[in-house]
Amino acid sequence: MKLNTLHALTNDMAPTERMPVLFLGHGNPMNAIDDNIFTQGFQSIAKTLPKPRAILCISAHWETKGTFITAMEQPKTIHDFGGFPQALFDVQYPAPGSPELALETKKLISSVDVGLTDEWGLDHGCWTVVKFLYPNADIPVIEMSMDYTKGPEYHYALGKELSALRRKGVLIIGSGNTVHNLRMAAWDKMMTPGYGFDWAITANEKIKQLVTDGDHQSLLHYDKLGKEIQLSIPTPEHYNPLLYILGLQEKDEKVTIFNDALVAGSLNMMSVKIDKT
């Protein structure tokens, strides 16, 4: 992206209609090269979205001590996984970055000093889903990391601080999974949508209901929601992106659930769109 184009992005950040926000269950990296019900779900939801000026993604796969934002002009496509076919490693998502938007986002956040970095890029939590929303890779994308030393309330509150971006044409995406227990996964059922262990089905239904009801306090204190939830969220990194998106929900907004299916027994793809519809 040329410098004058980057400046134009910032100069053209006049107020817009409030953008929706998304939480996307990204699941298996192989979804990036598959045509399945989940990738079709991403493509379908894209048709309901206004075209954004830029995208801010919060991915389960970028945890840091402190909070950082990518600020390079051309973020690299990061293949942060192993053991997959070469065809997956060959995929590139050459979306431009936006140093200006990174700086604008940093200035919005008053609760913590946010760092700007050129040492990351677009990890698979980001590009494997965004490529189905915007396959032409023509919209600037920045990522914001999650501070692994902080608890749920921190992530939820930090999400709220991003709200002004929604009225500047920025689509904010959280990417993770709300049921994500790899140690208990039935790998032979990875390609069987709907296959879930009883505890995972219970947890998925409970989380989905709380999200739909707008019960953010219960979702913030998920460690008190029972053993099924504890099994579903053994570590918080895939759950935390949801908290940023919930923090952005406004009083007049409702939730749309899509891609609501389990795979491999202990993983879900439940995704959420929040907007005034």
Side-chain angles (χ1 to χ4, degrees):
M1 196 179 219
K2 295 182 179 179
L3 188 59
N4 61 347
T5 307
L6 287 165
H7 284 305
L9 174 67
T10 299
N11 294 335
D12 192 35
M13 300 274 286
T16 66
E17 291 294 321
R18 180 176 53 194
M19 290 292 293
V21 292
L22 298 174
F23 172 77
L24 301 179
H26 63 248
N28 184 354
M30 285 296 291
N31 286 325
I33 56 175
D34 283 344
D35 178 17
N36 57 40
I37 61 170
F38 304 124
T39 60
Q40 292 163 15
F42 297 143
Q43 292 167 330
S44 294
I45 208 70
K47 295 175 183 177
T48 72
L49 303 172
K51 186 172 182 179
R53 291 172 176 164
I55 296 168
L56 168 62
C57 185
I58 300 141
S59 164
H61 293 279
W62 191 23
E63 289 190 290
T64 54
K65 187 174 183 179
T67 300
F68 294 86
I69 300 173
T70 57
M72 68 285 285
E73 293 187 18
Q74 293 295 148
K76 63 184 177 181
T77 303
I78 303 174
H79 298 87
D80 49 333
F81 42 68
F84 291 95
Q86 184 60 42
L88 184 57
F89 291 91
D90 291 341
V91 176
Q92 296 291 314
Y93 189 74
S98 176
E100 282 75 12
L101 178 58
L103 181 59
E104 177 98 357
T105 304
K106 172 183 170 68
K107 290 178 178 178
L108 277 178
I109 298 172
S110 60
S111 64
V112 64
D113 183 24
V114 174
L116 302 181
T117 183
D118 59 2
E119 295 182 356
W120 195 245
L122 306 181
D123 60 59
H124 85 267
C126 178
W127 64 264
T128 64
V129 290
V130 173
K131 74 182 288 288
F132 291 103
L133 303 180
Y134 305 105
N136 294 329
D138 56 350
I139 296 172
V141 182
I142 65 173
E143 276 200 44
M144 187 170 78
S145 72
M146 297 185 299
D147 188 340
Y148 63 80
T149 71
K150 304 297 185 181
E153 291 85 356
Y154 171 90
H155 300 294
Y156 181 78
L158 189 53
K160 287 185 178 296
E161 293 192 71
L162 303 173
S163 62
L165 294 178
R166 298 184 62 189
R167 291 173 171 83
K168 295 187 177 184
V170 178
L171 176 64
I172 302 174
I173 299 172
S175 177
N177 294 99
T178 56
V179 176
H180 188 267
N181 190 325
L182 293 180
R183 289 188 176 184
M184 299 185 72
W187 298 110
D188 59 327
K189 303 292 186 182
M190 180 59 73
M191 307 310 292
T192 307
Y195 182 80
F197 301 129
D198 289 345
W199 57 264
I201 294 170
T202 298
N204 184 60
E205 291 301 315
K206 185 177 290 188
I207 292 170
K208 182 171 60 175
Q209 189 63 56
L210 292 171
V211 170
T212 302
D213 291 345
D215 188 350
H216 296 181
Q217 286 304 307
S218 292
L219 290 162
L220 283 169
H221 300 286
Y222 63 88
D223 58 327
K224 296 179 172 59
L225 293 178
K227 64 179 182 180
E228 294 90 355
I229 301 293
Q230 293 172 13
L231 283 170
S232 299
I233 311 171
T235 55
E237 77 288 337
H238 277 74
Y239 182 80
N240 283 337
L242 173 67
L243 300 180
Y244 286 82
I245 300 311
L246 295 179
L248 286 159
Q249 184 174 6
E250 298 185 16
K251 291 182 178 179
D252 62 342
E253 292 185 307
K254 296 183 179 180
V255 165
T256 300
I257 302 290
F258 63 101
N259 279 7
D260 182 25
L262 288 119
V263 294
S266 62
L267 307 169
N268 77 343
M269 292 292 290
M270 190 267 283
S271 298
V272 178
K273 175 188 175 188
I274 295 175
D275 66 352
K276 188 179 178 181
T277 55

